[in-house]
Amino acid sequence: AAKESVCETSQTRIASCRRARRKGARGPRARGSSEMSSVEAAKEQAARAAVDDYVSDGQVVGIGSGSTITYAVVRLAERVKEEGIKVVCVPTSFQARQLIVENGLVLGDLERYPELDVAIDGADEVDEDLNCIKGGGGCQTQEKIVASCAKIFVVIADFRKKSSVLGEQWKKGVPIEVVPMAYRPVMLKLEALGAEPTLRMAKSKAGPCVTDNGNFVIDADFGNIEEPQLIEDKLNATPGIVCTGLFVNMAVKAYFGEEDGSVSTREK
């Protein structure tokens, strides 16, 4: 299992994110009042700690997707302005690209930068061995491609995402991107593997959720996943599956913002 540790973090981290917004960096805003919720504060603390520890001048950085990564981009923009570091950011989704552009960071791509120094991304769940379930936002394919191109892959999350085994906390299943014409055969094959598959439907349009790549997403509930590599191998051998949300043996460290204002870590 990964090694765990806890480090105290200053409460000024929350205030500094607000200062960054006043200076022009764009990120999530407080919900309902001037005070951030404990979950949002935890996301920010984990994100800022990872950016401070792993990003340095002259790097090419993979930028993940989701709500937690927004805080990482805000911190990165803050460091660029305050410290003068120069970084190139490679996005994992349309959302990530917009965050990079809106915060005035240098936008790159894998065609020009096929090898990255570090990739930072969120996760829906992280187990004791740093295996992850990702894809709650439907971006797992590009996220996995970018993570695979990085020398170091770091995960940031709040305290709700930490578990001993995958499936313990995240109950929505493993997100699987599939070619649209194959979604029904793939669902039948997932059932044969013991999963309960559900075609993810869009929130603000009629019909299925469509990824940035023009594909569908099936959420496959395997229950608790004791052997993620075995399931990953079986899914990857299924025609019609583009990519799964199982990130097995990819992350080297995970940061978790805790309710008490600290940041805990797991690392290999």
Side-chain angles (χ1 to χ4, degrees):
K3 295 181 293 183
E4 296 199 28
S5 62
V6 178
C7 56
E8 294 300 322
T9 59
S10 170
Q11 293 301 315
T12 60
R13 283 184 170 172
I14 298 174
S16 63
C17 187
R18 297 193 183 111
R19 288 198 301 272
R21 292 195 197 105
R22 288 197 293 270
K23 293 177 182 179
R26 300 186 182 183
R29 301 190 179 272
R31 296 179 178 179
S33 71
S34 60
E35 294 300 317
M36 303 174 75
S37 72
S38 62
V39 170
E40 291 304 306
K43 290 178 181 180
E44 183 191 2
Q45 290 179 5
R48 293 177 69 84
V51 170
D52 287 350
D53 287 350
Y54 278 94
V55 178
S56 58
D57 186 40
Q59 287 187 329
V60 181
V61 182
I63 301 296
S65 305
S67 59
T68 307
I69 201 66
T70 308
Y71 293 108
V73 174
V74 167
R75 175 55 180 158
L76 190 54
E78 183 179 298
R79 289 191 60 197
V80 167
K81 292 176 181 178
E82 295 180 356
E83 301 173 29
I85 65 171
K86 298 184 184 299
V87 295
V88 175
C89 300
V90 176
T92 57
S93 65
F94 180 84
Q95 178 224 13
R97 184 185 186 281
Q98 293 301 101
L99 282 172
I100 293 166
V101 172
E102 288 174 3
N103 282 279
L105 298 169
V106 177
L107 178 67
D109 55 50
L110 291 179
E111 186 173 1
R112 288 175 290 173
Y113 302 95
E115 296 181 350
L116 314 181
D117 294 292
V118 61
I120 300 175
D121 206 345
D124 298 306
E125 188 174 27
V126 185
D127 72 10
E128 290 181 339
D129 296 314
L130 297 185
N131 299 312
C132 306
I133 291 178
K134 291 176 49 54
C139 304
Q140 67 269 20
T141 299
Q142 293 187 36
E143 289 172 340
K144 187 176 280 189
I145 292 170
V146 170
S148 72
C149 295
K151 298 173 185 175
I152 298 172
F153 176 46
V154 178
V155 172
I156 53 177
D158 63 78
F159 52 87
R160 304 170 302 166
K161 309 301 178 63
K162 181 167 56 175
S163 67
S164 57
V165 62
L166 295 181
E168 181 180 76
Q169 300 291 341
W170 181 256
K171 300 298 184 182
K172 297 181 181 180
V174 177
I176 300 171
E177 184 162 347
V178 299
V179 175
M181 68 168 287
Y183 88 90
R184 277 298 298 154
V186 169
M187 289 181 75
L188 293 176
K189 290 176 182 178
L190 290 171
E191 290 174 358
L193 291 175
E196 295 181 7
T198 303
L199 180 65
R200 188 183 299 183
M201 304 306 288
K203 296 294 185 181
S204 299
K205 67 173 278 292
C209 172
V210 179
T211 71
D212 286 357
N213 308 309
N215 296 313
F216 292 169
V217 176
I218 294 172
D219 294 299
D221 185 2
F222 288 92
N224 284 1
I225 302 175
E226 302 287 348
E227 297 181 278
Q229 185 65 69
L230 179 62
I231 292 178
E232 170 77 345
D233 291 343
K234 289 181 178 180
L235 295 178
N236 285 335
T238 303
I241 289 180
V242 177
C243 190
T244 84
L246 287 173
F247 284 50
V248 182
N249 296 321
M250 296 186 72
V252 300
K253 190 168 184 176
Y255 290 78
F256 300 96
E258 303 291 351
E259 287 183 280
D260 64 1
S262 67
V263 172
S264 66
T265 62
R266 286 177 177 173
E267 60 184 310
K268 290 185 177 179

